[in-house]
Amino acid sequence: MRIAVLALQGAFLEHEMLLNKLGVDCFEVRQLKDWQQEKDGLIIPGGESTTQGKLLRELGLLDPIREAIEGGLPVFGTCAGLILLSQKVEGNSPAAPEPPRLGTMSMTAARNAYGRQLGSFHTEASFKGIEGNIPMTFIRAPYIAHASEDVEILATVDGRSVAARQNNQLVTSFHPELDMDTRVHEYFLKIVKRSEERFSRN
Ligand code: GLN
């Protein structure tokens, strides 16, 4: 198994360290040439979604990555990654043009709108499909404001949806890569393993 980690900006290194801890091979995607390597899944890290979106477009990565996800490639987006995967986003400046996005998940993300997150915070909450509470670190986090029926909500904090899955796509508002707990990444790797049966390596 080999996981691509988008490494244009943000907390990509922490994801790589967590994958290393789990003994999973990964590589960084900084340009189209990197992306063209064989892979079984993709992680989009937290950071700044507007910067990552612009870089994705500039580097010619936006369309190939979107096509791969639509073709079934498993993807895990944390925080800014959640925003990039959302079809719609609330909370962008109305004056500026909408920043580029992958927009492959049928949901709306509310950006920088999470009450308690205006400062960052840490909590623990349950996560569907994982036993026991999961540590959750939120840093200027988005939440899922609306989701279509195809999207399964996996975790809720203060009545806000903070983790979800739509087939091959997994997102969290929080940063599991910043805590020592590996269970959310293991949950993603299970999606990767299952999809390998159905999709050839893109
Ligand atoms: N607020 C950031 C954004 O809009 C996301 C924050 C994060 O990824 N920690 O992109």
Side-chain angles (χ1 to χ4, degrees):
M1 188 195 290
R2 198 150 185 254
I3 304 295
V5 179
L6 190 65
L8 303 179
Q9 189 268 341
F12 51 88
L13 210 59
E14 288 79 357
H15 280 287
E16 291 170 32
M17 289 184 330
L18 213 139
L19 291 172
N20 287 339
K21 195 170 153 185
L22 291 169
V24 174
D25 191 17
C26 64
F27 66 95
E28 294 183 350
V29 178
R30 293 174 183 270
Q31 52 182 317
L32 193 56
K33 199 171 82 208
D34 305 325
W35 176 249
Q36 285 158 348
Q37 295 179 62
E38 286 202 331
K39 59 208 153 292
D40 304 292
L42 167 68
I43 291 182
I44 306 179
E48 193 49 49
S49 57
T50 44
T51 309
Q52 289 191 40
K54 281 179 197 157
L55 287 170
L56 280 170
R57 187 172 58 191
E58 273 168 38
L59 293 163
L61 281 164
L62 201 63
D63 291 337
I65 292 182
R66 186 186 292 121
E67 278 160 28
I69 295 170
E70 283 170 352
L73 182 76
V75 61
F76 177 20
T78 57
C79 204
L82 178 153
I83 296 169
L84 286 166
L85 289 167
S86 295
Q87 217 162 60
K88 291 189 194 144
V89 173
E90 292 173 354
N92 280 325
S93 155
E98 281 251 326
R101 272 197 310 279
L102 294 159
T104 45
M105 273 184 91
S106 344
M107 60 184 202
T108 303
R111 214 184 144 213
N112 295 337
Y114 199 175
R116 265 209 276 167
Q117 64 83 41
L118 294 176
S120 302
F121 71 98
H122 183 85
T123 192
E124 289 198 357
S126 61
F127 190 107
K128 202 170 171 191
I130 301 179
E131 220 168 290
N133 277 356
I134 292 286
M136 299 181 179
T137 300
F138 293 85
I139 304 170
R140 304 192 69 232
Y143 67 86
I144 300 158
H146 310 284
S148 82
E149 281 172 10
D150 305 340
V151 177
E152 186 184 15
I153 301 300
L154 301 173
T156 305
V157 170
D158 294 341
R160 305 285 203 203
S161 303
V162 296
R165 175 175 175 185
Q166 182 175 8
N167 303 319
N168 55 320
Q169 306 185 69
L170 174 70
V171 287
T172 60
S173 301
F174 57 92
H175 289 264
E177 77 282 8
L178 298 183
D179 289 296
M180 290 289 107
D181 201 299
T182 54
R183 286 175 293 165
V184 179
H185 284 73
E186 287 171 72
Y187 181 97
F188 173 60
L189 296 173
K190 271 191 211 152
I191 299 176
V192 174
K193 276 188 200 129
R194 280 196 209 118
S195 83
E196 266 184 317
E197 293 156 20
R198 274 174 283 148
F199 300 98
S200 58
R201 295 163 75 107
N202 332 39

